[in-house]
Amino acid sequence: MTRGSGLNLLGLGALGTRILLAFVAVAISTVLVLAAAALIGVDRGVQAGEQADRQEVADSIATTAAEAYQRAGSWDDADLARAVRTGEAASARLVILDAAGTTVISSGVPNENSPGGGGALSSSASVAEITVDGASVGTVRVALSAATSSRVLDIAWKWIVIAGLVALAIAFAASWLVTRFLVGPLHTVTDAARAFTAGNRTSRVAGNAPGELGELAVAFNGMANEVARSERDRRNLTADVAHELRTPLAALQAGLEELRDGLIAPDAERLAALHDQSLRLGRIVADLAELSAAETAGALPHESRVDLAQISQEELALHDAQLRAAGLHVITNLPEPVFVQGDADRLHQAIGNVIANAVRYCRDDDSLTVALAMQDDEAVLTISDTGPGIPVDDLPYVFDRLWRGTAARDVSGSGIGLAVVREVVAQHGGSAEVESAVGEGTRIIIRLPLATA
């Protein structure tokens, strides 16, 4: 699904629109809950305030009525005008009942001269006892006008609606900004990925994003760099392989054509030269197959706890004839067993390639030193020689496949041996390093994790 398809609001895309709507839904729910809580709180607060006001008015009227009753001696002659004015001043409806419950006077409600006539007021009315000389002579029931509470609720509703709309507007704006903040970097990564897929290998994610989004951008750029590097290496490999194969193939083809055309006699010397070219082709193909197997291998097929000192000693023994033929003096410093976790065959291959490399490039009467030591949690194997050394400019490329230094053009080889060493050591969780200087020799350092007991 493309960015423009499906749900899309304000150019945010499907994901951004869903995030925005989720934020808005949460904001609306929050506003509704707070509005309901505010209305309930206002209503109960108004009721509590009205109850206190009613009770205060009822107590005041009861005091006034008690004074009128005491002056007259009975309800029949009592002057209750002052009590009625007190109720009217408070916009209250009141009923004064005698001790028998008969209505003496009422204000704002029908006057019922029967027992219980005061029932015209609601049950929420406030009641106060009228006492004279410690004896109850009647009661006062007071109810305030409902218009007061209604006005308070109307005002509360108005402000709650205004506050809710403002809160929703702020929530929508904040949600939109946050969504843009989150989705914008994702769109940038998506655009870069599409451009990269379309063939633009220079496409990268520009700018900085916060937190995990920034890590995503960095990871994408790293992936793109690795893919571009792999493609570049593949193209270079194709060119290098073609270059390495072209020379022996051309020589082999020219020699065979001369033999076919009868230009030269098929003597032993000519056939031996053609045979050497075919052997060179075979070595290049074998080296390429070896490198491919090292690079594409997954888990080590025969992983076990192996003695790196023993493997080094065995490889020296296998190359003994070549070392003597090259005139090299071998010095070993292989102490007690040093165990690493790995595949013995592949470690043999890596160490053998380093020794073969020294045999190929060292001069007569040079020396080769193989030393093994333990440092912290690593086994450190150092293979050094006193050969011609490697120029500083060539050192960064020593472990590259099919690379051969400018000083080694006249030496046979495919430039794959040390690339295999790097791949094998990396598969074992280790590292390979090179130190060299022209005229001072070369040192290959292989570090491998020690095996656990």
Side-chain angles (χ1 to χ4, degrees):
M1 179 181 293
T2 61
R3 186 191 306 177
S5 62
L7 194 60
N8 191 349
L9 182 63
L10 299 178
L12 296 177
L15 176 62
T17 300
R18 288 184 174 90
I19 295 176
L20 177 61
L21 292 178
F23 276 127
V24 171
V26 171
I28 292 175
S29 302
T30 302
V31 168
L32 291 177
V33 170
L34 291 177
L39 286 174
I40 294 174
V42 168
D43 182 61
R44 293 190 176 180
V46 169
Q47 290 181 7
E50 288 182 344
Q51 178 65 28
D53 291 342
R54 286 195 304 267
Q55 192 61 50
E56 183 180 354
V57 172
D59 292 341
S60 176
I61 293 174
T63 301
T64 303
E67 294 174 352
Y69 181 91
Q70 190 172 25
R71 286 194 298 268
S74 67
W75 288 116
D76 294 335
D77 299 324
D79 183 7
L80 299 176
R82 183 183 171 191
V84 172
R85 286 196 302 271
T86 301
E88 290 176 348
S91 299
R93 296 174 296 160
L94 64 90
V95 175
I96 298 177
L97 307 175
D98 60 15
T102 302
T103 300
V104 176
I105 191 172
S106 63
S107 173
V109 295
N111 186 6
E112 300 178 9
N113 293 320
S114 59
L121 294 182
S122 64
S123 59
S124 62
S126 297
V127 179
E129 290 288 335
I130 302 174
T131 58
V132 176
D133 298 332
S136 176
V137 296
T139 57
V140 176
R141 299 188 66 185
V142 175
L144 296 180
S145 172
T148 302
S149 59
S150 177
R151 285 195 303 271
V152 172
L153 290 177
D154 288 342
I155 295 173
W157 260 112
K158 176 182 177 181
W159 283 105
I160 287 174
V161 169
I162 293 174
L165 292 176
V166 172
L168 286 177
I170 295 174
F172 183 85
S175 302
W176 184 81
L177 290 175
V178 171
T179 302
R180 292 284 297 181
F181 185 72
L182 293 175
V183 176
L186 293 179
H187 286 171
T188 303
V189 174
T190 302
D191 293 339
R194 286 181 180 144
F196 192 87
T197 303
N200 181 9
R201 292 298 184 254
T202 62
S203 176
R204 298 293 185 271
V205 179
N208 296 322
E212 288 78 3
L213 294 175
E215 294 178 5
L216 174 63
V218 171
F220 173 82
N221 289 340
M223 178 203 68
N225 291 335
E226 186 63 24
V227 171
R229 186 194 66 81
S230 297
E231 288 192 353
R232 183 177 62 254
D233 291 346
R234 176 177 55 80
R235 289 193 297 269
N236 293 340
L237 175 62
T238 303
D240 291 341
V241 168
H243 173 75
E244 291 292 330
L245 295 179
R246 184 180 297 114
T247 301
L249 277 176
L252 188 60
Q253 181 180 0
L256 291 174
E257 288 177 352
E258 289 177 337
L259 291 175
R260 183 196 63 186
D261 296 337
L263 298 177
I264 59 174
D267 53 19
E269 182 180 355
R270 176 58 59 181
L271 293 177
L274 294 177
H275 182 257
D276 288 342
Q277 296 299 331
S278 66
L279 290 179
R280 183 180 176 186
L281 285 172
R283 284 195 302 270
I284 294 174
V285 172
D287 288 344
L288 289 172
E290 185 178 280
L291 177 61
S292 177
E295 290 181 335
T296 60
L300 298 174
H302 306 293
E303 185 176 2
S304 61
R305 191 166 178 262
V306 296
D307 182 6
L308 191 59
Q310 180 181 353
I311 292 175
S312 302
Q313 193 66 55
E314 291 174 354
E315 278 302 312
L316 286 172
L318 289 173
H319 289 81
D320 181 63
Q322 299 174 9
L323 291 167
R324 284 188 286 105
L328 293 180
H329 303 287
V330 178
I331 303 171
T332 60
N333 182 13
L334 302 174
E336 68 278 358
V338 177
F339 291 100
V340 297
Q341 195 75 19
D343 185 335
D345 291 338
R346 291 187 179 172
L347 291 175
H348 269 288
Q349 180 184 27
I351 297 173
N353 283 1
V354 177
I355 295 175
N357 212 57
V359 170
R360 186 176 296 115
Y361 291 99
C362 285
R363 302 153 301 189
D364 187 26
D365 208 31
D366 282 336
S367 63
L368 177 69
T369 302
V370 180
L372 180 62
M374 289 185 291
Q375 295 179 3
D376 298 329
D377 295 330
E378 290 182 326
V380 181
L381 177 65
T382 304
I383 303 176
S384 56
D385 61 59
T386 58
I390 303 172
V392 175
D393 294 339
D394 291 343
L395 283 177
Y397 311 104
V398 167
F399 292 105
D400 289 355
R401 52 191 178 185
L402 293 175
W403 180 88
R404 301 180 66 200
T406 55
R409 296 303 182 186
D410 298 331
V411 181
S412 63
S414 60
I416 291 178
L418 292 183
V420 173
V421 172
R422 180 183 61 180
E423 293 297 332
V424 171
V425 171
Q427 287 173 2
H428 286 75
S431 63
E433 307 166 11
V434 60
E435 298 175 356
S436 184
V438 176
E440 298 181 7
T442 301
R443 180 182 295 107
I444 302 294
I445 304 171
I446 296 175
R447 302 178 186 273
L448 294 171
L450 291 173
T452 56

